[in-house]
Amino acid sequence: DSGVTQTPKHLITATGQRVTLRCSPRSGDLSVYWYQQSLDQGLQFLIQYYNGEERAKGNILERFSAQQFPDLHSELNLSSLELGDSALYFCASSVWDSLGNTIYFGEGSWLTVV
Amino acid sequence: QQPVQSPQAVILREGEDAVINCSSSKALYSVHWYRQKHGEAPVFLMILLKGGEQKGHEKISASFNEKKQQSSLYLTASQLSYSGTYFCGTEGNRDDKIIFGKGTRLHILP
């Protein structure tokens, strides 16, 4: 258990709908990352937040948005869903420790768009 | 600036060795290595910071050549449990976003 909690674990929704994925980082971690992993694909970086502010953006579609709240949990909002948005969405949090910027992944949220 | 991993896939027999390479076109601050089992979260293996170092973790070790912007992951005397997809992630600067390569699938046969 990495300490990063993601909900829901699975969801199935129809095209055109909107969903929200939630992430609670490890206690004390200020950075939150969102990654998308499609079937047999690598980890595509979407966005990073640090202490409530957007730090970096990757290949995140305009239909997607995210935010990090004062309590440091984060939400990823996916709207106008398309079949191609079906993927495993990972949240990760990180902390600088003696090893470096170690990031820990949650178990992921499986999104199926039908 | 996604790092490039090679090979894309490896099939080994238990006890054999493997090397997975990761290269970047830009200067790197650090390289991260993760292993992912199918349908599970990636699991942290190690981080290498710039300075050209080598680290070990059980029978898994890695090197980082800062000048060449390359890292290699070494798996010796592979075990069945080593099967999975290995990802390298690179960080251009401290606290920069971490970009992962497409992964290297490793399958260990008994």
Side-chain angles (χ1 to χ4, degrees), chain A residues 35 37 40 96 101 103 106, chain B residues 32 34 36 41 95 98 105:
Chain A
Y35 289 88
Q37 187 173 42
D40 295 330
W96 264 95
N101 188 23
I103 68 170
Chain B
H32 305 230
Y34 285 77
Q36 183 182 31
D95 285 340
I98 299 170
R105 292 187 184 181

Side-chain angles (χ1 to χ4, degrees), chain A residues 41-101:
Chain A
Q41 294 297 309
L43 294 157
Q44 296 295 316
F45 170 73
L46 295 178
I47 198 164
Q48 177 196 3
Y49 281 86
Y50 180 84
N51 202 19
E53 294 189 2
E54 184 182 300
R55 171 68 65 96
K57 237 177 183 179
N59 299 323
I60 187 167
L61 299 172
E62 286 191 9
R63 300 183 286 107
F64 296 179
S65 64
Q67 54 184 327
Q68 187 180 27
F69 296 87
D71 66 353
L72 301 179
H73 90 271
S74 178
E75 293 182 355
L76 178 67
N77 300 295
L78 314 174
S79 61
S80 301
L81 286 168
E82 302 175 358
L83 296 177
D85 297 328
S86 296
L88 181 54
Y89 290 84
F90 284 109
C91 170
S93 69
S94 71
V95 64
W96 264 95
D97 56 22
S98 59
L99 299 175
N101 188 23

Side-chain angles (χ1 to χ4, degrees), chain A residues 11-63:
Chain A
L11 68 164
I12 302 173
T13 190
T15 55
Q17 295 298 305
R18 171 192 170 94
V19 298
T20 297
L21 309 181
R22 194 179 191 279
C23 170
S24 293
R26 295 185 334 144
S27 177
D29 287 0
L30 299 179
S31 276
V32 169
Y33 306 77
W34 287 98
Y35 289 88
Q36 179 193 55
Q37 187 173 42
S38 301
L39 188 62
D40 295 330
Q41 294 297 309
L43 294 157
Q44 296 295 316
F45 170 73
L46 295 178
I47 198 164
Q48 177 196 3
Y49 281 86
Y50 180 84
N51 202 19
E53 294 189 2
E54 184 182 300
R55 171 68 65 96
K57 237 177 183 179
N59 299 323
I60 187 167
L61 299 172
E62 286 191 9
R63 300 183 286 107

Side-chain angles (χ1 to χ4, degrees), chain B residues 74-95:
Chain B
Y74 307 94
L75 301 105
T76 58
S78 58
Q79 305 169 12
L80 293 176
S81 61
Y82 288 179
S83 290
T85 301
Y86 289 78
F87 290 98
C88 74
T90 56
E91 198 176 11
N93 294 289
R94 178 180 167 139
D95 285 340

Side-chain angles (χ1 to χ4, degrees), chain A residues 99-114:
Chain A
L99 299 175
N101 188 23
T102 308
I103 68 170
Y104 297 90
F105 285 84
E107 295 297 312
S109 291
W110 283 95
L111 171 65
T112 301
V113 182
V114 296

Side-chain angles (χ1 to χ4, degrees), chain B residues 65-76:
Chain B
N65 187 320
E66 180 188 349
K67 288 184 179 178
K68 292 186 177 180
Q69 296 151 198
Q70 294 175 347
S71 177
S72 294
L73 184 71
Y74 307 94
L75 301 105
T76 58

